[in-house]
Amino acid sequence: MNPIIDPLQGDFPEVIEEFLEHGIMKCISFNRRGTLLAAGCSDGSCVVWDFETRGIAKELRDKDCAAAITSVCWSRNGHNILISAADKSLTLWDVVKGEKIYRITLQQTPLQARLHPLESTLCLICPFSSAPIIVDLRTETTTTLPISLSEKPAPTSKNKFTDGSAYTPTAACFNKYGDLVYVGNSVGEILIIDHKKNQVCGIIPISGGAVIKNIVFSRDGQFLLTNSSDRTIRIYENLLKQQDSHKLILDEILPNSENEVEMLKGAGTNCLSLFREFQDSITKVHWKAPCFSGDGEWVVGGSASKGEHKIYIWDRRAGHLVKILEGPKEALMDLVWHPVHPIVVSVSLTGLVYIWAKDYTENWSAFAPDFKELEENEEYVEREDEFDLMPETEKVKESETNEEDEVDITTVEKDSAFSDSEEELCFLPADPCPDPDVSGDKHTGRRDNSSPLSEDNNGYSNQVEGPEHSGGEDTGGVTHLKRRRKPSEKVLEQQQAQKVQKSKASGKSLKPKSKFGNEQEEENDMNHFGDENGFDD
């Protein structure tokens, strides 16, 4: 990231930086640090992307599952992934080993599955046509949560299957501590449930009684977001700052109330407070996959209209729309905000994953206030004393840092964006695949025909031409190396002496052949033998 940027620019994405492609991806989820991105595909597999390198780090594939993935969720430490599929299966994976830890089959198709913030074997499931359930993967026990205590009839005009039977859509999520479950039902109510006791602790009615389609907490747990069928995104401030603080509210209200529903509504007013409402009053668009930014300062929601890929970004504090991101002419399926950086990742109907990032503009004056940007070259006239030597009193004092001190490069500093120091899985270890052996040779030496000792000397070569034994294998004393013998220094001296003798005009007879001459004849005989037997030079 370029540090020379304008600090007054909004900290939200603006343009498509890149896209990821692998099969047909349906849903996505970041790990807690934002270094890994999990994507569920239509063929039942889950792909884990290294978000730093934008490469595939792991692929989790269950041979027993060929249905589309409906949701993916990371555990708090990043070592496990919970995957729900359209074949009613629920699987907990070990990310590093790529192995299944638990796998169960539910009675209904899970549309959304969320792991408990602290217990990796406890999860919250929102089925397609029934109330949310708490599932213990270790014991395979399920607990159905209540979805309504009021006497309002559930609307059934649009909530029907093809056979005419009615169903009740619900949305649910854990709070930050995992001791409460917030459930949004089809009659426009938010129920606060203690899942351990399976008891409703509070009810917050929504104006208009619209069906709640999505419900999600901000990262710090201070705000709650709901998406309703009345095309409105509502932000609530969470008044339960501490764990188990809902018990104190119930103890205060219970002795003074006779009606259970009224008591729970009174308790609800002490749990949540309406903070903001966002909607498009002109187009009246339905929203899809709304969520908070990593720091909770921005609210993002995708358009649910077919044939358009629009993302709306609001300022949570000011309450106004700040940006509309327009993508390709493809419907938006899922949407997440990076936990740390101003990056939004969206999934299109075609299965592509688009990465929206900030378009940084270099502003050198923001880095150095006395710096002046020029649109064109100008002639500069220096001052008379501009380059004079500075007096000793105005020189910058030397650093008092002791250069002999050892620098610690192994200790990892605690990230201020996270509240604990739990050991997490931030990156997957590299698992390189060996290159296939195309030739089938068993040797491990040089694969080319040249030897590292090849050299030219007066037309002679020491080049090895037999690749089948170039790796130095033991062949039982029989060699197939084809090469020409290099003459010794004595032979070269003899040849030079013969040339000198022939150049003399004295007419003297040549001396008898010495042992050097015999060696030259032996060499010529060997070369002649090689030519007759088909050996190459």
Side-chain angles (χ1 to χ4, degrees):
M1 185 179 297
N2 195 337
I4 307 175
I5 59 175
D6 189 352
L8 299 179
Q9 296 181 15
D11 203 15
F12 50 82
E14 297 173 339
V15 296
I16 294 179
E17 181 184 65
E18 195 177 353
F19 70 90
L20 306 178
E21 183 178 8
H22 182 82
I24 302 177
M25 292 176 277
K26 294 292 186 181
C27 51
I28 51 179
S29 177
F30 276 109
N31 67 337
R32 190 163 172 257
R33 301 276 177 171
T35 56
L36 299 174
L37 176 68
C41 303
S42 60
D43 60 353
S45 64
C46 179
V47 181
V48 180
W49 297 83
D50 189 323
F51 202 70
E52 300 294 331
T53 62
R54 309 293 166 86
I56 296 178
K58 183 78 70 173
E59 183 175 2
L60 306 177
R61 185 177 295 273
D62 187 1
K63 62 180 181 179
D64 299 327
C65 177
I69 302 299
T70 58
S71 69
V72 290
C73 179
W74 291 84
S75 62
R76 184 179 180 87
N77 57 12
H79 289 271
N80 301 327
I81 290 182
L82 180 66
I83 300 176
S84 63
D87 61 352
K88 304 179 182 181
S89 64
L90 192 65
T91 309
L92 185 66
W93 287 83
D94 186 308
V95 180
V96 177
K97 298 180 180 179
E99 300 175 353
K100 291 184 291 185
I101 303 177
Y102 300 104
R103 187 181 191 275
I104 63 174
T105 302
L106 304 175
Q107 298 296 325
Q108 300 288 342
T109 302
L111 294 182
Q112 188 182 52
R114 292 291 177 264
L115 282 170
H116 191 276
L118 303 178
E119 301 179 23
S120 60
T121 59
L122 200 65
C123 58
L124 173 64
I125 310 299
C126 294
F128 180 67
S129 60
S130 63
I133 56 177
I134 298 292
V135 178
D136 191 334
L137 297 174
R138 183 183 293 107
T139 61
E140 298 187 3
T141 58
T142 60
T143 303
T144 303
L145 301 177
I147 58 174
S148 179
L149 292 179
S150 63
E151 298 177 356
K152 295 181 182 180
T156 59
S157 58
K158 297 183 179 180
N159 304 334
K160 290 186 178 181
F161 291 112
T162 56
D163 58 357
S165 60
Y167 70 93
T168 303
T170 54
C173 68
F174 285 109
N175 66 343
K176 179 181 178 180
Y177 305 104
D179 56 341
L180 295 176
V181 175
Y182 288 70
V183 178
N185 58 22
S186 60
V187 296
E189 294 175 341
I190 301 176
L191 276 66
I192 304 175
I193 302 174
D194 186 344
H195 64 88
K196 294 182 179 180
K197 299 179 180 179
N198 202 15
Q199 177 186 2
V200 178
C201 303
I203 298 177
I204 299 93
I206 293 179
S207 60
V211 177
I212 299 177
K213 299 187 295 183
N214 303 97
I215 184 168
V216 60
F217 266 98
S218 61
R219 186 180 182 85
D220 56 4
Q222 300 298 318
F223 294 93
L224 177 71
L225 179 150
T226 62
N227 176 30
S228 305
S229 60
D230 61 355
R231 311 179 187 189
T232 303
I233 296 177
R234 294 177 174 86
I235 307 298
Y236 292 86
E237 183 179 0
N238 184 19
L239 303 179
L240 300 179
K241 306 296 183 180
Q242 303 297 329
Q243 188 175 3
D244 296 331
S245 57
H246 64 283
K247 297 179 181 179
L248 301 177
I249 298 176
L250 289 178
D251 294 338
E252 294 178 359
I253 299 179
L254 186 60
N256 301 325
S257 296
E258 297 179 358
N259 190 342
E260 181 182 6
V261 176
E262 294 298 328
M263 177 205 63
L264 295 176
K265 288 183 178 180
T269 58
N270 296 325
C271 298
L272 292 177
S273 175
L274 183 62
F275 184 78
R276 285 280 186 269
E277 290 185 356
F278 301 113
Q279 62 180 346
D280 192 337
S281 57
I282 299 177
T283 60
K284 299 291 185 180
V285 65
H286 285 278
W287 306 111
K288 200 166 193 177
C291 62
F292 290 95
S293 62
D295 55 3
E297 295 296 325
W298 311 97
V299 177
V300 60
S303 171
S305 301
K306 296 181 179 179
E308 66 178 12
H309 200 96
K310 289 186 178 181
I311 301 174
Y312 293 70
I313 301 176
W314 294 273
D315 188 332
R316 178 187 58 81
R317 294 180 181 273
H320 57 77
L321 181 67
V322 295
K323 191 71 175 179
I324 299 178
L325 307 178
E326 296 187 8
K329 300 298 181 180
E330 303 168 359
L332 188 144
M333 301 299 294
D334 199 5
L335 178 70
V336 292
W337 193 299
H338 193 277
V340 181
H341 302 299
I343 297 176
V344 169
V345 181
S346 61
V347 182
S348 68
L349 183 62
T350 59
L352 297 179
V353 171
Y354 294 97
I355 302 175
W356 302 77
K358 185 172 178 55
D359 186 15
Y360 290 99
T361 303
E362 292 184 354
N363 188 355
W364 293 86
S365 61
F367 181 74
D370 57 346
F371 185 84
K372 181 181 178 181
E373 296 183 5
L374 301 177
E375 296 181 359
E376 59 182 8
N377 293 335
E378 294 182 4
E379 184 178 357
Y380 180 73
V381 179
E382 64 184 41
R383 300 191 309 271
E384 183 178 355
D385 60 344
E386 185 172 0
F387 297 101
D388 292 349
L389 295 177
M390 299 294 292
E392 294 292 335
T393 57
E394 298 183 8
K395 287 186 176 180
V396 180
K397 295 182 179 180
E398 296 181 359
S399 176
E400 298 179 358
T401 305
N402 187 4
E403 297 181 356
E404 297 182 357
D405 292 344
E406 295 183 359
V407 180
D408 186 7
I409 61 174
T410 58
T411 304
V412 180
E413 295 182 357
K414 184 178 179 180
D415 195 339
S416 60
F418 303 94
S419 58
D420 55 13
S421 57
E422 183 180 0
E423 183 180 356
E424 299 182 37
L425 176 66
C426 297
F427 299 98
L428 288 174
D431 187 15
C433 299
D435 295 334
D437 190 0
V438 179
S439 62
D441 297 335
K442 296 181 180 180
H443 65 277
T444 59
R446 293 174 59 89
R447 299 181 63 88
D448 56 356
N449 294 337
S450 61
S451 171
L453 300 178
S454 299
E455 59 181 0
D456 296 330
N457 189 351
N458 294 331
Y460 294 91
S461 173
N462 193 27
Q463 183 175 359
V464 178
E465 296 185 355
E468 58 272 4
H469 294 290
S470 60
E473 292 182 355
D474 186 7
T475 57
V478 180
T479 178
H480 297 276
L481 300 181
K482 307 170 186 178
R483 64 183 182 181
R484 177 179 296 177
R485 288 182 58 190
K486 181 179 178 181
S488 62
E489 295 181 358
K490 295 182 178 179
V491 174
L492 295 176
E493 292 177 358
Q494 180 65 23
Q495 291 177 354
Q496 187 67 20
Q498 292 178 0
K499 291 180 181 180
V500 172
Q501 293 177 0
K502 290 181 180 180
S503 62
K504 292 182 178 180
S506 59
K508 296 180 179 180
S509 61
L510 298 176
K511 295 181 179 181
K513 294 182 179 180
S514 63
K515 60 180 180 179
F516 301 109
N518 295 334
E519 291 178 1
Q520 181 66 26
E521 290 180 358
E522 291 177 1
E523 178 184 1
N524 295 334
D525 293 339
M526 290 184 65
N527 292 335
H528 180 67
F529 175 77
D531 294 337
E532 291 180 351
N533 290 274
F535 292 102
D536 298 332
D537 291 337

